[in-house]
Amino acid sequence: MADKINIKNLSPIDIEEFIASKGLEPYRAQQIGKWLYQKRAISFDDMTDLSKELREVLKESFTLDCALELSGEQLSTDGTRKFLFELWDGNRIEAVLIPDKRRNTLCISSQVGCALACKFCLTGTVGKIRNLSPSEIIDQYLLVNRYSGDSVTNIVFMGMGEPLDNLENLVKALNILMDTNFLSLSAKKITVSTSGIVPKIRELGQEVSVNLAVSLNAPRDDLRDELMPINKRYPIKELLKESMRFPLPPRKDLMFEYVMLKGVNDSIKDAYDLGELLRGIKCKVNLIPFNEALPLSYRSPSRDSVFAFQKILMSYGINVRIRKSRGTDILGACGQLAASYPAKPAPIKAQARGARL
Ligand code: SAH
Ligand code: SF4
């Protein structure tokens, strides 16, 4: 018999299709979603309002194992918590919970490593090892929520990996997060961050509406080409044009992230160039002072240059915030996540399970 699939890899539509293929009523899919994600069933036998036959069919086809194993946790002096998870194949990923006055934001990973090789990013130095499955994405949220007393209010795809380089699984995970019969999170509380794979931005927008953060990081193509190789394929003008078309949730603005690298993209001229570039675009800008991480040789900008940069952007009427670095003492800040090397060879059983994904 073929290996069973983890049911958390199925989107709401996949479950509906499965139910239809068995000739059953569509509302059964909603019941299953509620059992999995709202009533937190740990076995198919918990799903007491499904017929015994349906429970048997589910048991024959699926598992509902947890796709991740918690293998470590670190607490920063500022309250940030970094969770290290081991995957079935021994690879490891990280998720970071960042408590703030009004919200608890969970930064989750979408891939092991990343293929895009941005020069300033530790994850980029690893290269892409593999995509995460929908269940591996969703279980970061489910587990951290469990370990933090259901405290997660917001999710940002700003951990390891480029979410749009794993679009199919990302969309399934987003649909599980947002469907009212599944995790029922508001689109306004979810942000996908991208380095700018332009056609995939369009595809994502055809599938879902969520907040979009674009990692701009340079105001001119020559500099962006150097820092983010993806810019050679999709230059700034195309990126801005596509991003502005993206279907955001109501009353939400497009977000641009700008990692400030000392002596590289933090000058007064860079600030004016960025102001000109974004003139007339309804957006928010997040300035992120570079988080230093060996072996990268870039340096953090001075406080003065960050404030000067902000002031210039504000003079263009841009809503600009300086992102506080959170969790740097535990290497939990943006761009510092890299725990992706296999911890140990995958056990045989797990290899068989994972081979289905
Ligand atoms: N791949 C996606 C999401 C993960 S990176 C993307 O690039 O948007 C999340 C954010 O961290 C991006 O804005 C990226 O520019 C930023 N980042 C990467 N390395 C960093 C570092 N060392 N210091 C500060 N920000 C960093
Ligand atoms: Fe990948 Fe984003 Fe890091 Fe670039 S900044 S290497 S896209 S994770």
Side-chain angles (χ1 to χ4, degrees), residues 18-19 22 24-25 27-28 31-32 35 43-61:
F18 177 80
I19 288 296
K22 301 290 172 195
L24 296 168
E25 310 89 329
Y27 74 90
R28 296 291 179 198
Q31 283 180 310
I32 294 171
W35 276 114
S43 83
F44 293 111
D45 285 326
D46 287 346
M47 304 182 178
T48 46
D49 56 4
L50 304 182
S51 68
K52 195 146 190 304
E53 292 74 36
L54 176 53
R55 280 185 261 155
E56 288 306 316
V57 169
L58 293 174
K59 265 193 246 176
E60 275 162 27
S61 312

Side-chain angles (χ1 to χ4, degrees), residues 28-221:
R28 296 291 179 198
Q30 301 171 1
Q31 283 180 310
I32 294 171
K34 287 208 165 96
W35 276 114
L36 289 173
Y37 298 108
Q38 297 178 12
K39 301 189 229 173
R40 303 183 190 191
I42 52 168
S43 83
F44 293 111
D45 285 326
D46 287 346
M47 304 182 178
T48 46
D49 56 4
L50 304 182
S51 68
K52 195 146 190 304
E53 292 74 36
L54 176 53
R55 280 185 261 155
E56 288 306 316
V57 169
L58 293 174
K59 265 193 246 176
E60 275 162 27
S61 312
F62 304 114
T63 67
L64 49 71
D65 298 338
C66 188
L68 309 172
E69 204 175 295
L70 182 69
S71 62
E73 189 193 334
Q74 283 173 284
L75 178 64
S76 159
T77 49
D78 68 16
T80 299
R81 289 166 76 178
K82 182 166 86 168
F83 296 85
L84 179 67
F85 294 112
E86 191 164 328
L87 311 177
W88 61 268
D89 57 2
N91 279 307
R92 293 189 291 182
I93 53 163
E94 291 170 330
V96 183
L97 181 62
I98 307 153
D100 214 338
K101 275 179 228 113
R102 286 175 300 127
R103 55 176 82 105
N104 282 319
T105 303
L106 179 64
C107 175
I108 61 180
S109 295
S110 55
Q111 298 181 313
V112 185
C114 181
L116 275 79
C118 302
K119 294 284 187 309
F120 49 81
C121 173
L122 204 57
T123 311
T125 63
V126 176
K128 176 172 163 182
I129 296 177
R130 71 168 173 88
N131 284 333
L132 295 187
S133 65
S135 60
E136 289 166 337
I137 296 174
I138 288 297
D139 272 333
Q140 294 173 61
Y141 168 72
L142 295 178
L143 284 185
V144 172
N145 227 3
R146 188 193 299 165
Y147 294 128
S148 65
D150 287 330
S151 73
V152 179
T153 59
N154 293 58
I155 294 181
V156 293
F157 284 82
M158 293 185 189
M160 296 164 61
E162 165 54 48
L164 298 192
D165 187 32
N166 184 15
L167 189 70
E168 195 185 330
N169 293 345
L170 172 73
V171 168
K172 283 184 197 283
L174 289 172
N175 282 320
I176 295 170
L177 288 169
M178 293 193 286
D179 188 296
T180 49
N181 291 301
F182 287 61
L183 284 164
S184 197
L185 257 87
S186 160
K188 293 183 180 186
K189 308 275 185 190
I190 301 176
T191 302
V192 172
S193 176
T194 181
S195 57
I197 309 179
V198 168
K200 302 278 180 183
I201 294 177
R202 187 174 326 144
E203 278 181 54
L204 179 68
Q206 285 161 352
E207 299 282 348
V208 291
S209 163
V210 285
N211 294 302
L212 185 71
V214 174
S215 299
L216 197 52
N217 300 339
R220 297 175 304 275
D221 280 323

